[in-house]
PDB file of all heavy atoms in Angstrom:
ATOM      1  N   VAL A   9     139.273  49.651 103.080  1.00 79.00           N
ATOM      2  CA  VAL A   9     139.077  50.656 102.142  1.00 79.00           C
ATOM      3  C   VAL A   9     137.905  51.401 102.539  1.00 79.00           C
ATOM      4  O   VAL A   9     136.757  50.870 102.732  1.00 79.00           O
ATOM      5  CB  VAL A   9     138.850  50.179 100.696  1.00 79.00           C
ATOM      6  CG1 VAL A   9     138.661  51.309  99.717  1.00 79.00           C
ATOM      7  CG2 VAL A   9     140.184  49.340 100.310  1.00 79.00           C
ATOM      8  N   ARG A  10     138.009  52.705 102.787  1.00 83.00           N
ATOM      9  CA  ARG A  10     136.814  53.565 103.230  1.00 83.00           C
ATOM     10  C   ARG A  10     136.605  54.626 102.255  1.00 83.00           C
ATOM     11  O   ARG A  10     137.565  55.308 101.672  1.00 83.00           O
ATOM     12  CB  ARG A  10     137.193  54.225 104.523  1.00 83.00           C
ATOM     13  CG  ARG A  10     137.367  53.194 105.706  1.00 83.00           C
ATOM     14  CD  ARG A  10     137.617  53.999 107.012  1.00 83.00           C
ATOM     15  NE  ARG A  10     137.828  53.047 108.026  1.00 83.00           N
ATOM     16  CZ  ARG A  10     138.181  53.411 109.169  1.00 83.00           C
ATOM     17  NH1 ARG A  10     138.329  54.704 109.525  1.00 83.00           N
ATOM     18  NH2 ARG A  10     138.362  52.487 110.174  1.00 83.00           N
ATOM     19  N   ILE A  11     135.316  54.703 101.841  1.00 86.00           N
ATOM     20  CA  ILE A  11     134.967  55.795 100.872  1.00 86.00           C
ATOM     21  C   ILE A  11     134.037  56.760 101.792  1.00 86.00           C
ATOM     22  O   ILE A  11     132.996  56.374 102.214  1.00 86.00           O
ATOM     23  CB  ILE A  11     134.142  55.235  99.724  1.00 86.00           C
ATOM     24  CG1 ILE A  11     135.005  54.269  98.923  1.00 86.00           C
ATOM     25  CG2 ILE A  11     133.674  56.325  98.802  1.00 86.00           C
ATOM     26  CD1 ILE A  11     134.287  53.513  97.856  1.00 86.00           C
ATOM     27  N   GLU A  12     134.538  57.999 101.919  1.00 87.00           N
ATOM     28  CA  GLU A  12     133.812  58.938 102.661  1.00 87.00           C
ATOM     29  C   GLU A  12     133.524  60.234 101.862  1.00 87.00           C
ATOM     30  O   GLU A  12     134.431  60.643 101.106  1.00 87.00           O
ATOM     31  CB  GLU A  12     134.482  59.281 103.914  1.00 87.00           C
ATOM     32  CG  GLU A  12     134.819  58.170 104.878  1.00 87.00           C
ATOM     33  CD  GLU A  12     135.653  58.579 106.066  1.00 87.00           C
ATOM     34  OE1 GLU A  12     136.011  59.734 106.207  1.00 87.00           O
ATOM     35  OE2 GLU A  12     135.827  57.651 106.987  1.00 87.00           O
ATOM     36  N   ALA A  13     132.507  60.859 102.027  1.00 86.00           N
ATOM     37  CA  ALA A  13     132.206  62.126 101.452  1.00 86.00           C
ATOM     38  C   ALA A  13     133.022  63.226 102.156  1.00 86.00           C
ATOM     39  O   ALA A  13     133.158  63.129 103.400  1.00 86.00           O
ATOM     40  CB  ALA A  13     130.678  62.413 101.575  1.00 86.00           C
ATOM     41  N   PRO A  14     133.439  64.209 101.430  1.00 85.00           N
ATOM     42  CA  PRO A  14     134.200  65.303 102.188  1.00 85.00           C
ATOM     43  C   PRO A  14     133.247  66.123 103.086  1.00 85.00           C
ATOM     44  O   PRO A  14     132.052  66.231 102.852  1.00 85.00           O
ATOM     45  CB  PRO A  14     134.595  66.147 100.915  1.00 85.00           C
ATOM     46  CG  PRO A  14     133.687  65.842  99.792  1.00 85.00           C
ATOM     47  CD  PRO A  14     133.281  64.448 100.048  1.00 85.00           C
ATOM     48  N   LYS A  15     133.880  66.635 104.127  1.00 89.00           N
ATOM     49  CA  LYS A  15     133.118  67.365 105.113  1.00 89.00           C
ATOM     50  C   LYS A  15     132.773  68.710 104.547  1.00 89.00           C
ATOM     51  O   LYS A  15     131.737  69.286 104.946  1.00 89.00           O
ATOM     52  CB  LYS A  15     133.938  67.520 106.397  1.00 89.00           C
ATOM     53  CG  LYS A  15     134.168  66.194 107.122  1.00 89.00           C
ATOM     54  CD  LYS A  15     134.962  66.312 108.245  1.00 89.00           C
ATOM     55  CE  LYS A  15     135.190  64.834 108.967  1.00 89.00           C
ATOM     56  NZ  LYS A  15     135.976  65.021 110.147  1.00 89.00           N
ATOM     57  N   GLU A  16     133.523  69.259 103.759  1.00 90.00           N
ATOM     58  CA  GLU A  16     133.304  70.640 103.164  1.00 90.00           C
ATOM     59  C   GLU A  16     132.770  70.426 101.640  1.00 90.00           C
ATOM     60  O   GLU A  16     133.333  69.588 101.026  1.00 90.00           O
ATOM     61  CB  GLU A  16     134.483  71.511 103.165  1.00 90.00           C
ATOM     62  CG  GLU A  16     134.952  71.822 104.609  1.00 90.00           C
ATOM     63  CD  GLU A  16     136.164  72.754 104.643  1.00 90.00           C
ATOM     64  OE1 GLU A  16     136.539  73.179 103.599  1.00 90.00           O
ATOM     65  OE2 GLU A  16     136.747  72.897 105.723  1.00 90.00           O
ATOM     66  N   PRO A  17     131.995  71.301 101.161  1.00 90.00           N
ATOM     67  CA  PRO A  17     131.608  71.174  99.743  1.00 90.00           C
ATOM     68  C   PRO A  17     132.793  71.427  98.812  1.00 90.00           C
ATOM     69  O   PRO A  17     133.709  72.193  99.167  1.00 90.00           O
ATOM     70  CB  PRO A  17     130.493  72.292  99.605  1.00 90.00           C
ATOM     71  CG  PRO A  17     130.721  73.216 100.695  1.00 90.00           C
ATOM     72  CD  PRO A  17     131.352  72.480 101.874  1.00 90.00           C
ATOM     73  N   ILE A  18     132.730  70.812  97.693  1.00 87.00           N
ATOM     74  CA  ILE A  18     133.758  70.982  96.740  1.00 87.00           C
ATOM     75  C   ILE A  18     133.498  72.280  96.016  1.00 87.00           C
ATOM     76  O   ILE A  18     132.441  72.594  95.442  1.00 87.00           O
ATOM     77  CB  ILE A  18     133.749  69.818  95.723  1.00 87.00           C
ATOM     78  CG1 ILE A  18     134.004  68.485  96.424  1.00 87.00           C
ATOM     79  CG2 ILE A  18     134.747  70.021  94.592  1.00 87.00           C
ATOM     80  CD1 ILE A  18     133.870  67.255  95.567  1.00 87.00           C
ATOM     81  N   LYS A  19     134.576  73.162  95.818  1.00 88.00           N
ATOM     82  CA  LYS A  19     134.479  74.402  95.238  1.00 88.00           C
ATOM     83  C   LYS A  19     135.282  74.406  93.965  1.00 88.00           C
ATOM     84  O   LYS A  19     136.449  73.944  93.930  1.00 88.00           O
ATOM     85  CB  LYS A  19     135.070  75.475  96.113  1.00 88.00           C
ATOM     86  CG  LYS A  19     134.255  75.810  97.323  1.00 88.00           C
ATOM     87  CD  LYS A  19     134.891  76.929  98.256  1.00 88.00           C
ATOM     88  CE  LYS A  19     134.112  77.107  99.475  1.00 88.00           C
ATOM     89  NZ  LYS A  19     134.733  78.145 100.306  1.00 88.00           N
ATOM     90  N   ILE A  20     134.652  74.765  92.851  1.00 89.00           N
ATOM     91  CA  ILE A  20     135.350  74.897  91.577  1.00 89.00           C
ATOM     92  C   ILE A  20     135.280  76.353  91.101  1.00 89.00           C
ATOM     93  O   ILE A  20     134.187  76.973  90.918  1.00 89.00           O
ATOM     94  CB  ILE A  20     134.615  73.991  90.534  1.00 89.00           C
ATOM     95  CG1 ILE A  20     134.658  72.543  90.993  1.00 89.00           C
ATOM     96  CG2 ILE A  20     135.327  74.180  89.174  1.00 89.00           C
ATOM     97  CD1 ILE A  20     133.864  71.646  90.084  1.00 89.00           C
ATOM     98  N   GLU A  21     136.465  76.942  91.048  1.00 89.00           N
ATOM     99  CA  GLU A  21     136.582  78.285  90.662  1.00 89.00           C
ATOM    100  C   GLU A  21     137.184  78.339  89.157  1.00 89.00           C
ATOM    101  O   GLU A  21     138.228  77.771  89.053  1.00 89.00           O
ATOM    102  CB  GLU A  21     137.440  79.118  91.552  1.00 89.00           C
ATOM    103  CG  GLU A  21     136.794  79.311  92.912  1.00 89.00           C
ATOM    104  CD  GLU A  21     137.664  80.104  93.869  1.00 89.00           C
ATOM    105  OE1 GLU A  21     138.507  80.910  93.419  1.00 89.00           O
ATOM    106  OE2 GLU A  21     137.494  79.940  95.195  1.00 89.00           O
ATOM    107  N   ALA A  22     136.443  78.992  88.343  1.00 87.00           N
ATOM    108  CA  ALA A  22     136.951  79.079  87.022  1.00 87.00           C
ATOM    109  C   ALA A  22     137.048  80.560  86.551  1.00 87.00           C
ATOM    110  O   ALA A  22     136.012  81.181  86.521  1.00 87.00           O
ATOM    111  CB  ALA A  22     136.109  78.341  86.041  1.00 87.00           C
ATOM    112  N   ASN A  23     138.219  80.951  86.336  1.00 86.00           N
ATOM    113  CA  ASN A  23     138.419  82.399  85.779  1.00 86.00           C
ATOM    114  C   ASN A  23     138.703  82.226  84.348  1.00 86.00           C
ATOM    115  O   ASN A  23     139.787  81.806  83.783  1.00 86.00           O
ATOM    116  CB  ASN A  23     139.664  83.048  86.397  1.00 86.00           C
ATOM    117  CG  ASN A  23     139.352  83.336  87.995  1.00 86.00           C
ATOM    118  OD1 ASN A  23     138.227  83.464  88.343  1.00 86.00           O
ATOM    119  ND2 ASN A  23     140.342  83.171  88.754  1.00 86.00           N
ATOM    120  N   ILE A  24     137.643  82.505  83.504  1.00 83.00           N
ATOM    121  CA  ILE A  24     137.763  82.273  82.086  1.00 83.00           C
ATOM    122  C   ILE A  24     137.502  83.594  81.405  1.00 83.00           C
ATOM    123  O   ILE A  24     136.535  84.388  81.721  1.00 83.00           O
ATOM    124  CB  ILE A  24     136.653  81.314  81.556  1.00 83.00           C
ATOM    125  CG1 ILE A  24     136.805  80.044  82.275  1.00 83.00           C
ATOM    126  CG2 ILE A  24     136.605  81.139  80.131  1.00 83.00           C
ATOM    127  CD1 ILE A  24     135.734  78.973  82.075  1.00 83.00           C
ATOM    128  N   LYS A  25     138.375  83.893  80.491  1.00 79.00           N
ATOM    129  CA  LYS A  25     138.292  85.179  79.632  1.00 79.00           C
ATOM    130  C   LYS A  25     137.851  84.759  78.286  1.00 79.00           C
ATOM    131  O   LYS A  25     138.531  83.961  77.658  1.00 79.00           O
ATOM    132  CB  LYS A  25     139.587  85.909  79.711  1.00 79.00           C
ATOM    133  CG  LYS A  25     140.002  86.501  81.100  1.00 79.00           C
ATOM    134  CD  LYS A  25     141.239  87.341  80.884  1.00 79.00           C
ATOM    135  CE  LYS A  25     141.744  87.810  82.214  1.00 79.00           C
ATOM    136  NZ  LYS A  25     142.984  88.601  82.060  1.00 79.00           N
ATOM    137  N   ILE A  26     136.777  85.251  77.792  1.00 71.00           N
ATOM    138  CA  ILE A  26     136.339  85.008  76.472  1.00 71.00           C
ATOM    139  C   ILE A  26     136.636  86.287  75.585  1.00 71.00           C
ATOM    140  O   ILE A  26     136.081  87.418  75.825  1.00 71.00           O
ATOM    141  CB  ILE A  26     134.820  84.752  76.433  1.00 71.00           C
ATOM    142  CG1 ILE A  26     134.545  83.480  77.381  1.00 71.00           C
ATOM    143  CG2 ILE A  26     134.406  84.505  75.045  1.00 71.00           C
ATOM    144  CD1 ILE A  26     133.140  83.190  77.547  1.00 71.00           C
ATOM    145  N   GLN A  27     137.613  86.101  74.746  1.00 65.00           N
ATOM    146  CA  GLN A  27     137.987  87.239  73.877  1.00 65.00           C
ATOM    147  C   GLN A  27     137.802  86.931  72.426  1.00 65.00           C
ATOM    148  O   GLN A  27     138.157  87.679  71.576  1.00 65.00           O
ATOM    149  CB  GLN A  27     139.464  87.560  74.071  1.00 65.00           C
ATOM    150  CG  GLN A  27     139.754  87.959  75.472  1.00 65.00           C
ATOM    151  CD  GLN A  27     141.304  88.120  75.751  1.00 65.00           C
ATOM    152  OE1 GLN A  27     142.100  87.854  74.874  1.00 65.00           O
ATOM    153  NE2 GLN A  27     141.651  88.749  76.841  1.00 65.00           N
ATOM    154  N   HIS A  28     137.073  85.872  72.138  1.00 58.00           N
ATOM    155  CA  HIS A  28     136.934  85.438  70.703  1.00 58.00           C
ATOM    156  C   HIS A  28     136.176  86.461  69.925  1.00 58.00           C
ATOM    157  O   HIS A  28     136.558  86.858  68.780  1.00 58.00           O
ATOM    158  CB  HIS A  28     136.309  84.095  70.717  1.00 58.00           C
ATOM    159  CG  HIS A  28     136.012  83.608  69.259  1.00 58.00           C
ATOM    160  ND1 HIS A  28     137.065  83.169  68.518  1.00 58.00           N
ATOM    161  CD2 HIS A  28     134.893  83.427  68.561  1.00 58.00           C
ATOM    162  CE1 HIS A  28     136.588  82.748  67.333  1.00 58.00           C
ATOM    163  NE2 HIS A  28     135.281  82.949  67.370  1.00 58.00           N
ATOM    164  N   GLU A  29     135.178  87.018  70.487  1.00 62.00           N
ATOM    165  CA  GLU A  29     134.318  87.994  69.686  1.00 62.00           C
ATOM    166  C   GLU A  29     135.105  89.304  69.417  1.00 62.00           C
ATOM    167  O   GLU A  29     134.980  89.667  68.317  1.00 62.00           O
ATOM    168  CB  GLU A  29     133.073  88.387  70.527  1.00 62.00           C
ATOM    169  CG  GLU A  29     132.092  89.291  69.851  1.00 62.00           C
ATOM    170  CD  GLU A  29     130.895  89.546  70.672  1.00 62.00           C
ATOM    171  OE1 GLU A  29     130.660  88.759  71.708  1.00 62.00           O
ATOM    172  OE2 GLU A  29     130.184  90.503  70.328  1.00 62.00           O
ATOM    173  N   ILE A  30     135.840  89.666  70.256  1.00 57.00           N
ATOM    174  CA  ILE A  30     136.740  90.863  70.092  1.00 57.00           C
ATOM    175  C   ILE A  30     137.741  90.646  68.983  1.00 57.00           C
ATOM    176  O   ILE A  30     137.881  91.520  68.145  1.00 57.00           O
ATOM    177  CB  ILE A  30     137.444  91.438  71.435  1.00 57.00           C
ATOM    178  CG1 ILE A  30     136.342  91.771  72.397  1.00 57.00           C
ATOM    179  CG2 ILE A  30     138.377  92.562  71.152  1.00 57.00           C
ATOM    180  CD1 ILE A  30     136.887  91.911  73.796  1.00 57.00           C
ATOM    181  N   VAL A  31     138.367  89.541  68.956  1.00 56.00           N
ATOM    182  CA  VAL A  31     139.370  89.161  68.011  1.00 56.00           C
ATOM    183  C   VAL A  31     138.691  89.108  66.568  1.00 56.00           C
ATOM    184  O   VAL A  31     139.340  89.586  65.656  1.00 56.00           O
ATOM    185  CB  VAL A  31     140.007  87.874  68.300  1.00 56.00           C
ATOM    186  CG1 VAL A  31     140.981  87.367  67.217  1.00 56.00           C
ATOM    187  CG2 VAL A  31     140.850  88.048  69.597  1.00 56.00           C
ATOM    188  N   VAL A  32     137.492  88.500  66.515  1.00 60.00           N
ATOM    189  CA  VAL A  32     136.862  88.347  65.228  1.00 60.00           C
ATOM    190  C   VAL A  32     136.581  89.876  64.737  1.00 60.00           C
ATOM    191  O   VAL A  32     136.681  89.986  63.556  1.00 60.00           O
ATOM    192  CB  VAL A  32     135.593  87.461  65.394  1.00 60.00           C
ATOM    193  CG1 VAL A  32     134.754  87.485  64.139  1.00 60.00           C
ATOM    194  CG2 VAL A  32     136.037  86.051  65.729  1.00 60.00           C
ATOM    195  N   ARG A  33     136.117  90.695  65.510  1.00 66.00           N
ATOM    196  CA  ARG A  33     135.689  91.992  65.016  1.00 66.00           C
ATOM    197  C   ARG A  33     136.994  92.759  64.500  1.00 66.00           C
ATOM    198  O   ARG A  33     136.876  93.396  63.580  1.00 66.00           O
ATOM    199  CB  ARG A  33     135.095  92.845  66.208  1.00 66.00           C
ATOM    200  CG  ARG A  33     133.679  92.383  66.444  1.00 66.00           C
ATOM    201  CD  ARG A  33     133.126  93.357  67.617  1.00 66.00           C
ATOM    202  NE  ARG A  33     131.843  92.885  67.980  1.00 66.00           N
ATOM    203  CZ  ARG A  33     131.189  93.326  69.091  1.00 66.00           C
ATOM    204  NH1 ARG A  33     131.828  94.252  69.775  1.00 66.00           N
ATOM    205  NH2 ARG A  33     129.994  92.847  69.376  1.00 66.00           N
ATOM    206  N   VAL A  34     138.040  92.595  65.208  1.00 66.00           N
ATOM    207  CA  VAL A  34     139.264  93.304  64.720  1.00 66.00           C
ATOM    208  C   VAL A  34     139.751  92.671  63.392  1.00 66.00           C
ATOM    209  O   VAL A  34     140.129  93.396  62.496  1.00 66.00           O
ATOM    210  CB  VAL A  34     140.480  93.161  65.848  1.00 66.00           C
ATOM    211  CG1 VAL A  34     141.774  93.574  65.321  1.00 66.00           C
ATOM    212  CG2 VAL A  34     140.082  93.922  67.039  1.00 66.00           C
TER     213      VAL A  34
END
């Protein structure tokens, strides 16, 4: 069993839309 670190960095992309404030105003 081998545990190795990845050669490339881990990328986390998060496309998050926050619309709560707009909905509350309406």
Side-chain angles (χ1 to χ4, degrees):
V9 177
R10 295 182 184 174
I11 299 175
E12 297 178 1
K15 294 180 181 179
E16 296 180 7
I18 298 172
K19 295 180 182 178
I20 300 174
E21 295 182 20
N23 295 327
I24 301 173
K25 293 182 181 179
I26 300 175
Q27 298 177 350
H28 180 71
E29 185 177 344
I30 296 170
V31 173
V32 171
R33 286 183 185 169
V34 171

